[in-house]
Amino acid sequence: MRSDRTKKSVEKAPHRSLLKANGLTDEEIARPFVGIVNSANEIIPGHIHLNQIARAAKDGVRMAGGTPMEFSVIGICDGIAMNHAGMRYSLPSREIIADSIELVAMGHAFDAMIFIPNCDKVVPGMLMAALRLNIPSVVISGGPMLAGSLHGKPVDLISVFEGVGQLNAGKINEDYLRQLEGCACPTSGSCSGMFTANSMNCLTEALGLGLPGNGTVPAVFSERIRLAKHAGMKIMELLERDIKPRDIATRSAFNNAIAVDMALGCSTNTVLHVPAVAYEAGIELNLDDFDKMGKKVPHLCSLSPAGPHHLEDLYRAGGIQAVMKRLEGHGVIDGDAMTVTGHTVRENLADVQVYDPEVIRGLDNPYHAEGGIAILRGSLAPDGAVVKQSGVLPEMMKRQGFARVFDSEEEASEAILSGKINRGDVIIIRYEGPKGGPGMREMLTPTSAIAGMGLDTDVALITDGRFSGGTRGAAIGHCSPEAAEGGPIALVREGDAILIDIPLRKLDLLVGEDELEARRQAWQPPKKELTGVLKRYAEMCLSADKGARYKD
């Protein structure tokens, strides 16, 4: 066992003495050490209950003959960090989470690991750590929040964000907005739509690193506690059989996850996180891997914010395993891929059924013929840009408009909410990329304002920043190269014509090359005084099309 280096032999008497200071008996010290990575805190609603999950996971480890050892890791709530300087720190936290787990796990020579995440950057950060460490591991998330209800209609966090725009447009009053904010997030758990946290928890299950149910069993259900106990027991089996994360997360497994991504209509943030996770397994994924799969896999689930259903509906319809069962007959799922159940995907799916064909539609009756995400390229984004096409209204799939240019999210949000944006405008928000932000902020406030004010049928938004999984509409992000690196988005001027053609995967700045070259020669990047984490991240991160991960 790896942990023998901390406890076996006469020379390790000091180490054993320190372990006994924690109350461990000789019997516990003799057993395998299982690190329990717990991201619980009192800030994030998705994490407020994770101590209960950790206790259950530790119970499972003990039942199966291991010794669990819990330690903590940081987390940031993207919803609370939204639309202020705090959002610059969210994406960099992913790298810090992965690094800090590596430090603790290697410093204490754990034999196996259980990862307990639940929100946007914590899930990919933990997956990156699992693949980097490559010791037997299971992920057990905290599960999704239940949807709220107002006047008999389901609501969620995005309803509140869009409510701000509705208030500014005179569609609702302040009393209604107060009612909305009081009921939209009724339980603990990751926000109830197919936003980034739930997207990544679902893809963890599709990748094979989470047990069936990891992505969809609601946070407040006792089944989630039982699942955590099973995760604790299962880790001991994986340790005995020496099944490691890289044995599971192969290229075929990542293809399975991308196929599920397209069928679900997941967050565009998956296009950042999945390649960064794959890189830790020595696998190179690029934007074309997503776009090719998106053309093969139809969109089968219409979940909030793009559709009427929530994660609890997907759970009752059969969950991620049922989605994979649909796709198994489409030739895009590798059934031989191993999973943390100790069985292959094919074996896991043998008895799976779809219980609601409206929540998980058949291949002959999809919500859209193509998958949820599309990759656009053209003179405005030579290295690619990302759009959640399943959330775009039909009339916005192909559009030409005139640029309204803003050098920050705050400037754009103020213009939208004060009625300065006209129908037909194409909003450009730049210098919000990984380096330029720095930190690649999410743009949920402006996109929600556009939708709430009823402008989503006529106004598009393009940015080198990124979007929340809760974003809907013609919102095109990750525009690469970013403005801070002199990408074409830095050269756009007020009134320039912009062509968006999602079916043809085009994103063009309709300005002559001579004029663009003259602008390029005159361009100077804005200077920002940076310190601490943001300074290091800006110096070390790669572009969005490469997952915004650290350079080697």
Side-chain angles (χ1 to χ4, degrees), residues 105-332:
M106 294 303 293
H108 300 95
F110 292 125
D111 298 300
M113 301 281 286
I114 294 178
F115 295 87
I116 307 174
N118 215 30
C119 285
D120 293 31
K121 308 309 169 297
V122 186
V123 183
M126 287 194 180
L127 290 173
M128 290 165 69
L131 288 166
R132 189 184 299 173
L133 292 166
N134 200 36
I135 61 176
S137 299
V138 175
V139 178
I140 169 65
S141 77
M145 181 184 292
L146 296 179
S149 178
L150 181 60
H151 302 165
K153 295 181 180 179
V155 293
D156 55 38
L157 179 65
I158 304 311
S159 307
V160 188
F161 271 100
E162 293 186 1
V164 176
Q166 293 169 339
L167 179 68
N168 277 270
K171 297 182 177 181
I172 62 173
N173 58 33
E174 289 189 28
D175 181 63
Y176 184 89
L177 185 60
R178 277 193 297 271
Q179 292 181 56
L180 188 56
E181 74 176 62
C183 64
C185 299
T187 73
S188 61
S190 46
C191 297
S192 57
M194 189 52 75
F195 315 144
T196 303
N198 288 325
S199 294
M200 290 306 301
N201 282 330
C202 289
L203 296 191
T204 297
E205 183 179 333
L207 187 59
L209 291 174
L211 292 172
N214 179 73
T216 59
V217 175
V220 294
F221 281 18
S222 58
E223 184 181 349
R224 175 64 57 177
I225 304 300
R226 297 195 298 273
L227 189 66
K229 289 179 180 178
H230 282 297
M233 291 185 279
K234 187 59 67 174
I235 193 62
M236 300 307 296
E237 178 187 332
L238 295 176
L239 177 60
E240 182 180 354
R241 294 175 60 184
D242 196 31
I243 297 175
K244 300 183 180 73
R246 292 185 201 171
D247 300 324
I248 293 169
T250 62
R251 177 168 284 278
S252 291
F254 277 101
N255 286 339
N256 288 350
I258 295 172
V260 171
D261 189 343
M262 296 301 153
L264 291 174
C266 286
S267 164
T268 52
N269 280 315
T270 60
V271 182
L272 280 179
H273 299 323
V274 173
V277 173
Y279 183 81
E280 300 291 348
I283 297 168
E284 292 280 353
L285 296 178
N286 57 49
L287 298 183
D288 289 336
D289 292 312
F290 288 82
D291 205 46
K292 288 175 183 176
M293 189 66 77
K295 291 177 179 178
K296 291 192 289 187
V297 175
H299 178 218
L300 302 182
C301 304
S302 188
L303 297 156
S304 176
H309 302 131
H310 289 85
L311 264 290
E312 63 203 76
D313 301 308
L314 181 58
Y315 160 74
R316 294 189 179 99
I320 301 308
Q321 300 300 302
V323 175
M324 295 181 77
K325 185 74 170 183
R326 290 283 203 212
L327 295 177
E328 187 181 31
H330 195 53
V332 293

Side-chain angles (χ1 to χ4, degrees), residues 85-113:
M87 179 50 74
R88 300 193 196 284
Y89 293 84
S90 176
L91 186 55
S93 76
R94 183 188 70 181
E95 317 306 311
I96 292 170
I97 289 163
D99 289 350
S100 63
I101 293 170
E102 179 188 4
L103 291 168
V104 176
M106 294 303 293
H108 300 95
F110 292 125
D111 298 300
M113 301 281 286

